[in-house]
């Protein structure tokens, strides 16, 4: 259950919120959920207490999840796939001046760390799919589809230095995987090929070795100071 204080943070202090999941990826079908993600800025005076504000809030609506700005930036600097993709959603629902400044920092978060983080996440998902095949004879096809999407997005990020989350012309091919119309052996082959292409792209990627932490920290400090001065 979300606390009243946490609900106020999301309701009154959100600087950026967007739709994620299948709708943002261009893979929505009739029964797709609407997953919402957001970033809120806890008022600076709340950090002066012994009990600190939450780093994230689950809710108040179904399928809604929000991060406090500092936690969001920390995860983005580590190239967390879910957080980086949130910054690149084509479906923005709410944004203010601070949120626009956050989006302007998208390039500052991108670095070669993305190869390790995306590959690590993909490996974990692949192990779950393999376990499903061993136990039940088939994977969860929706998860297989999203893993192919993630590997493609990661490969293209490493090749170009730009993160694009919409699948574009690959939509029909990916939805066929979701419907179980592609043999698991072929899905495995595609996953292995994409993993190899990721590794190859990492060798020549235009991404910088590390993110621009100083630029992000400057933004965070200015945001905290502005919040404190308006309290």
């Amino acid at each position: 259950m979300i606390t009243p204080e946490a609900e106020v943070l999301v309701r009154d202090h959100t600087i950026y919120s967007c739709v994620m999941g299948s709708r943002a990826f261009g893979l929505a079908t009739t029964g797709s959920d609407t997953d919402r993600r957001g970033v809120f800025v806890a008022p600076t005076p709340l950090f002066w207490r012994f009990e600190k504000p939450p780093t994230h809030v689950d809710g108040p609506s179904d399928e809604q999840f929000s991060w406090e700005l500092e936690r969001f930036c920390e995860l983005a600097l580590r190239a967390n796939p879910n957080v980086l993709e949130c910054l690149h959603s084509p479906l923005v629902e709410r944004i203010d001046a601070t949120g626009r400044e956050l989006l302007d920092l998208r390039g500052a978060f991108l670095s070669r760390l993305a190869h390790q983080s995306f590959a690590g996440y993909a490996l974990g998902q692949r192990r779950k799919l393999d376990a499903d095949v061993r136990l039940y004879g088939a994977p969860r096809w929706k998860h297989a589809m999203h893993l192919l999407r993630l590997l493609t997005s990661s490969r293209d990020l490493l090749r170009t230095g730009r993160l694009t989350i919409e699948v574009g012309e690959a939509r029909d091919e990916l939805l066929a995987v979701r419907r179980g119309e592609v043999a698991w052996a072929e899905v495995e082959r595609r996953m292995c090929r994409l993993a190899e292409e990721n590794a190859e792209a990492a060798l020549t990627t235009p991404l910088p070795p590390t993110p621009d932490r100083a630029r992000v920290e400057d933004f965070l400090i200015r945001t905290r100071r502005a919040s404190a001065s308006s309290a």
Side-chain angles (χ1 to χ4, degrees), residues 89-102:
S89 172
L91 304 176
V92 176
E93 291 193 321
R94 177 178 173 183
I95 192 168
D96 65 8
T98 306
R100 284 189 286 274
E101 191 170 355
L102 175 64

Side-chain angles (χ1 to χ4, degrees), residues 2 12 42-43 65 69 72 90 94 96 98 104 119 127 136 140 143 145 152 155 165 169 190 198 219:
I2 185 173
D12 297 344
F65 188 93
L69 177 62
F72 184 86
R94 177 178 173 183
D96 65 8
T98 306
D104 287 341
R127 286 172 176 165
Y136 310 113
R140 284 169 287 185
H143 292 189
M145 174 193 72
T152 302
R155 178 202 62 192
I165 69 171
E169 295 179 356
R190 294 180 189 178
N198 269 264
F219 162 66

Side-chain angles (χ1 to χ4, degrees), residues 30-133:
T30 304
S32 293
D33 295 328
T34 300
D35 300 318
R36 290 182 167 86
R37 300 292 179 266
V39 182
F40 64 90
V41 177
T44 300
L46 294 183
F47 291 92
W48 300 339
R49 311 177 309 183
F50 285 122
E51 185 177 349
K52 307 301 180 186
T55 59
H56 60 271
V57 174
D58 196 351
S61 300
D62 292 340
E63 310 300 332
Q64 182 181 10
F65 188 93
S66 301
W67 296 270
E68 206 283 323
L69 177 62
E70 184 172 343
R71 178 59 174 166
F72 184 86
C73 289
E74 288 175 343
L75 292 172
L77 287 168
R78 298 177 197 167
N80 177 285
N82 292 322
V83 170
L84 287 183
E85 289 185 336
C86 182
L87 285 171
H88 293 78
S89 172
L91 304 176
V92 176
E93 291 193 321
R94 177 178 173 183
I95 192 168
D96 65 8
T98 306
R100 284 189 286 274
E101 191 170 355
L102 175 64
L103 290 192
D104 287 341
L105 285 171
R106 283 182 291 198
F109 292 110
L110 297 178
S111 73
R112 295 176 195 171
L113 296 177
H115 179 225
Q116 181 179 358
S117 64
F118 277 71
Y121 183 83
L123 179 59
Q125 295 302 304
R126 176 62 190 274
R127 286 172 176 165
K128 292 178 181 179
L129 291 171
D130 288 339
D132 286 340
V133 173

Side-chain angles (χ1 to χ4, degrees), residues 202-220:
L203 297 175
T204 57
T205 181
L207 290 172
T210 58
D212 193 341
R213 187 179 182 88
R215 186 178 165 201
V216 174
E217 188 171 56
D218 175 72
F219 162 66
L220 178 62

